[in-house]
Amino acid sequence: MGWFHAHGVSSRPAVSILAKADGRPAGAGVLLPRRHLLTCAHVVNSALGKDMLAPDHPGPIAVPVRLHGPEHTVEAHAELAVWIPPRTDDGGLGAFEWNGDLAVLRLNVSPPPAIEPPRWHPMATRQLVRAWHGSGEPGVFADAEVSACDGRFGYFDGAERALDIEAAYSGGPLWSNEEGAVVGLVTAKLRVQGALRRAWGIPWQRVTRELDDAGAGHLLPRQPAVDVRDHPGYAELVALLDGQLTLSEGWIRCCRTVARQCGLGHRADGVPSAEEFAQLLLTRGRALPALVEAVRGMAGPVADDLLAIGRRCGLPKLLSPGEHERLLVQLRALPAAAAAGVPGAVRAALPLAALPAALLTGGDGHHDGHHDGDNGDGLGGVSGVRGGDGLGGRFEALIAHVEGLHGDSSAADDGAMPAVPGLLRAVEFVAAGCCPAEQRAALRRWNAAVARRLGVHDAALMDRRHDAEQWARSASRGAAPRVVAKLDRCGAAPGGAPAAAREEEPERYRLRLWCDDGDGLRQVSDDSERPRGAQEVAQEIFAAVGALRRPDPSGPRPVIELVVDRDALEVPVDRWKAAGPGAVLPMRLGTPYPLVVNCPELRELNGGTMLDQWRERWARLEAEEPVHIDDATAPDPEAVCGLLMERLTARVTVDVAAHRRTGVVQMCLAAGVPVVLWDRSGEQGSPAVRHAAGASTRQLPEAVRTYRTKTLQRPEEYPGRPVLAWADAGRALPRLDLVDPTE
């Protein structure tokens, strides 16, 4: 064993298998790559409340599990993927032995990066091993020595003054500190007379054979011997690590720091050889950044040389383990509204980078699919994380992708200096555009420290900060103030009202109003239960618009956002006048300000299964081409569905026959399309739709408003009646605890 070695305690069971009935530990498991874990089949039976050695397949079941990381405990579920039942009738077995007894489960979440699959090594006689209780508690372990191993079964005897192995140890790892690896799984305790405490387990040798025979060998970690001496950076690193630096008094501190950051133990004396250290730097992703961080203060030129070797050899990890964890902590601490803006800030910082759409969607991190990489950097959030929010998994995946991007440069940069990495530019944009003042300062301090460690010039980082501040100012100006109006139909005018009134105002509405001028929604309506006519609704909405605070009069016009149910999408609210007969300026609602409709009811059909589609489509608002639906391109509902699901379109125009229009529009909104434009006039070849076709998506509300003003001026030339559904996934709607409109 070399100077560096794995901590025994770091390989305690990362997974507890819990009983479905009471949540108590039924056993333990060992993490495998790609969100799988290995345990004993009898542990799964125990978790389900079945006879432990029942051989029958349990079916498509899932059991609750608990993932133990150094800082977080994650509650999850794991579905049965491979079943190798206990076999007691195989030939050549003793009274206490059985074959099989393995199960592979697939987690429904990605483990945090700090929980990595352990190394494996064949079991052998005289190995000292440690087993942990299925609770995962670090202090509840039993030490033993392998007394016999024939490749099928491994027997181990408990050490003096050590805990005894009991039932809930089953399925957990047998860890050899000498090998720095797991050598098998705990399986059963032998009930024998006398003081001897003997148990047996399944050696790694049989684990591989059993899973290979079941066609599941590909799920195991294959660890071929990697000869790093052939790596293009090996010789350079060895020469550098054999130089004057390693003779200095501070070198031992650097070595210990790297070991601590990488989660490794080390010998109490001496230092690692240059060859061993080079192997660590080339095989452990964040070891080289950790070494650069350790030596930067005492040997800047050596740090620069290490970075240069890393860049030339394409080593992908930019951050040291400590830097990575500190960034995650700061991002997880963001308020929900700020966290939702992180994907947009990253996209704005790196407009030319290929950023997968799944990394850029907002939301709570519980709905996306998961990346099956061996390091557990999943795209989906980790539900049930204690001490962090559900966005943790998404942030981890975003960092993992962005830190591998090349740096950028500008004309002002000195070509001799390192380029500013894309991640540092993205962090500046997140700080400027998403963070409250205190967190903005902390994130900038983190960025400056990483930049110093990488040798990035202060002026270059300040250049990116200037870009970020300009973008943030522009983005803040771009968020138009708005009035949100919730309309509920409540029937016609009272029967005692004059006939003219009943004819002019056949519908009455309940109205609730909120203003949003940049500081969040605030309700401004009082008597929301009182029925109103169209003119009164328009008057109250205009009054609310007038009450908006507009610090920048030259900014965008306020937007009126009508929240309606599916049956009110085509109510002609844009034509309602705010004043009665004889008024000097009888304005219509749809002309002075952009007016859009929003129908949460349709998005939330089927239990909200399309909400993720809506968020992801909105994230691609400018990336995807608009889709136009007419009777030729989509003659039936199946064709419409095909067009909507072909790609994550964010903008759809609808120009179909009048009798089909309502159904097609509602299909679009139910599919999560955030921007839908149609013409309620019933004319095919809609002039209103054609007029808006040339506008960019974000300019559509203003383009539709302009068309409505032209309709007032020249109705023969502009006969259309455009309706624009607009559902911004980045702007909150008020909580709508609605009353029954029929009451």
Side-chain angles (χ1 to χ4, degrees):
M1 184 167 64
W3 192 84
F4 294 109
H5 62 81
H7 278 304
V9 71
S10 69
S11 292
R12 66 191 171 97
V15 184
S16 297
I17 312 295
L18 308 178
K20 295 191 75 170
D22 57 14
R24 300 182 67 179
V30 182
L31 200 63
L32 298 178
R34 296 176 293 278
R35 284 177 37 224
H36 289 87
L37 62 93
L38 179 68
T39 188
C40 289
H42 80 260
V43 172
V44 175
N45 280 333
S46 295
L48 298 175
K50 301 176 62 176
D51 180 79
M52 284 204 311
L53 297 182
D56 52 306
H57 194 292
I61 55 90
V63 295
V65 299
R66 188 173 291 140
L67 309 180
H68 304 281
E71 305 219 352
H72 305 300
T73 298
V74 180
E75 307 285 349
H77 280 81
E79 298 176 352
L80 183 61
V82 178
W83 179 252
I84 303 175
R87 300 192 303 272
T88 57
D89 54 354
D90 287 358
L93 296 178
F96 304 105
E97 297 172 339
W98 55 85
N99 283 319
D101 199 10
L102 293 170
V104 177
L105 305 174
R106 180 175 172 82
L107 294 163
N108 69 332
V109 300
S110 293
I115 308 177
E116 294 187 358
R119 291 181 61 252
W120 290 78
H121 192 275
M123 184 183 289
T125 304
R126 296 191 178 280
Q127 284 173 339
L128 300 178
V129 293
R130 175 169 288 184
W132 282 265
H133 188 268
S135 64
E137 294 293 338
V140 187
F141 58 83
D143 289 327
E145 181 179 358
V146 178
S147 53
C149 179
D150 62 2
R152 286 200 307 161
F153 302 97
Y155 289 89
F156 37 95
D157 298 333
E160 292 184 11
R161 303 182 64 186
L163 291 176
D164 199 4
I165 291 176
E166 297 292 346
Y169 285 73
S170 290
L174 284 163
W175 174 261
S176 165
N177 205 49
E178 182 69 19
E179 305 294 349
V182 175
V183 297
L185 299 183
V186 179
T187 308
K189 176 182 178 181
L190 271 68
R191 303 293 180 183
V192 294
Q193 297 295 324
L196 183 66
R197 290 176 294 178
R198 176 166 292 169
W200 67 268
I202 304 174
W204 172 240
Q205 298 94 304
R206 178 152 74 88
V207 169
T208 58
R209 287 197 301 271
E210 296 270 13
L211 264 70
D212 281 338
D213 291 345
H218 63 284
L219 299 176
L220 293 174
R222 300 299 183 183
Q223 297 159 328
V226 178
D227 190 351
V228 296
R229 291 174 297 182
D230 295 333
H231 193 284
Y234 179 77
E236 286 187 273
L237 286 171
V238 170
L240 185 63
L241 297 173
D242 242 350
Q244 291 298 313
L245 172 66
T246 57
L247 302 177
S248 66
E249 293 183 3
W251 179 239
I252 182 63
R253 291 196 300 272
C254 292
C255 297
R256 289 173 174 171
T257 297
V258 172
R260 185 184 70 252
Q261 284 227 41
C262 293
L264 298 171
H266 58 80
R267 283 184 8 208
D269 60 334
V271 294
S273 68
E275 291 79 9
E276 181 187 0
F277 215 143
Q279 172 149 348
L280 179 73
L281 298 180
L282 293 173
T283 57
R284 202 168 189 98
R286 300 194 185 278
L288 189 141
L291 179 58
V292 173
E293 188 175 30
V295 304
R296 171 60 72 184
M298 59 182 263
V302 174
D304 293 336
D305 289 342
L306 287 167
L307 288 168
I309 294 171
R311 285 193 294 270
R312 285 197 299 273
C313 298
L315 300 183
K317 299 300 184 184
L318 178 76
L319 303 180
S320 71
E323 290 167 342
H324 181 265
E325 182 60 27
R326 288 190 291 274
L327 178 57
L328 271 177
V329 167
Q330 294 202 42
L331 292 177
R332 285 171 175 154
L334 290 175
V342 169
V346 173
R347 190 190 305 105
L350 306 169
L352 301 180
L355 299 173
L359 298 182
L360 296 175
T361 52
D364 59 6
H366 292 283
H367 304 290
D368 287 336
H370 301 281
H371 173 56
D372 281 345
D374 288 1
N375 292 329
D377 289 332
L379 303 187
V382 181
S383 58
V385 177
R386 297 178 184 173
D389 59 36
L391 285 163
R394 191 186 306 278
F395 287 148
E396 289 165 14
L398 192 57
I399 292 169
H401 184 86
V402 174
E403 73 174 326
L405 300 178
H406 293 297
D408 68 334
S409 60
S410 71
D413 293 339
D414 183 350
M417 297 297 294
V420 180
L423 178 64
L424 270 59
R425 178 177 171 86
V427 168
E428 287 295 339
F429 275 65
V430 170
C434 303
C435 297
E438 184 175 341
Q439 287 164 306
R440 181 185 308 123
L443 207 52
R444 285 175 170 171
R445 286 194 297 272
W446 179 92
N447 225 23
V450 176
R452 283 193 298 272
R453 198 261 299 169
L454 295 173
V456 172
H457 197 283
D458 289 346
L461 187 64
M462 291 303 103
D463 188 34
R464 279 44 175 202
R465 184 167 299 174
H466 175 72
D467 291 345
E469 289 171 341
Q470 279 193 321
W471 167 77
R473 285 193 295 269
S474 174
S476 65
R477 287 196 301 268
R482 61 177 177 153
V483 167
V484 178
K486 177 67 179 80
L487 279 181
D488 290 309
R489 283 173 162 167
C490 55
R502 293 198 303 273
E503 183 177 340
E504 185 177 343
E505 295 187 340
E507 290 286 346
R508 309 283 284 176
Y509 302 88
R510 292 187 177 95
L511 175 70
R512 279 189 284 177
L513 292 171
W514 293 261
C515 285
D516 181 1
D517 38 28
D519 296 328
L521 290 160
R522 66 181 192 281
Q523 188 165 352
V524 294
S525 56
D526 296 325
D527 50 351
S528 59
E529 297 305 304
R530 179 175 59 82
R532 299 155 169 83
Q535 289 187 358
E536 194 173 359
V537 168
Q539 287 171 343
E540 291 189 38
I541 291 176
F542 275 132
V545 174
L548 282 169
R549 296 189 299 272
R550 298 182 62 189
D552 183 3
S554 64
R557 294 171 185 258
V559 173
I560 299 169
E561 183 174 347
L562 296 175
V563 180
V564 297
D565 59 33
R566 62 196 299 181
D567 297 324
L569 280 166
E570 295 200 4
V571 172
V573 182
D574 56 290
R575 300 184 64 81
W576 289 355
K577 296 178 183 178
V584 175
L585 192 61
M587 293 188 298
R588 297 179 187 269
L589 263 182
T591 52
Y593 308 106
L595 182 145
V596 299
V597 295
N598 194 339
C599 185
E601 176 192 1
L602 285 167
R603 285 196 301 279
E604 294 167 4
L605 291 177
N606 303 317
T609 55
M610 300 308 290
L611 289 176
D612 268 355
Q613 286 264 341
W614 165 53
R615 296 185 184 104
E616 192 162 353
R617 289 176 190 271
W618 181 264
R620 301 175 69 87
L621 192 64
E622 305 290 357
E624 291 285 352
E625 289 294 319
V627 165
H628 179 72
I629 297 178
D630 56 28
D631 290 322
T633 58
D636 53 45
E638 287 75 16
V640 173
C641 186
L643 279 175
L644 295 176
M645 297 305 170
E646 184 178 4
R647 60 181 189 267
L648 291 169
T649 302
R651 169 180 171 180
V652 172
T653 52
V654 177
D655 190 4
V656 298
H659 71 279
R660 298 185 60 212
R661 187 177 66 245
T662 298
V664 172
V665 167
Q666 292 196 10
M667 284 182 69
C668 294
L669 297 176
V673 178
V675 179
V676 183
L677 175 66
W678 70 97
D679 189 336
R680 70 169 183 272
S681 70
E683 287 191 44
Q684 286 191 267
S686 165
V689 170
R690 287 200 310 272
H691 174 85
S696 69
T697 302
R698 292 192 182 274
Q699 292 300 316
L700 268 181
E702 178 61 21
V704 170
R705 184 200 71 81
T706 302
Y707 186 92
R708 288 170 177 154
T709 63
K710 293 181 183 300
T711 298
L712 293 181
Q713 300 166 25
R714 301 189 295 278
E716 297 81 8
E717 296 179 43
Y718 297 92
R721 299 290 183 267
V723 184
L724 179 62
W726 184 273
D728 186 338
R731 303 196 77 173
L733 284 178
R735 292 181 61 87
L736 300 174
D737 302 319
L738 305 180
V739 297
D740 184 347
T742 63
E743 291 180 357

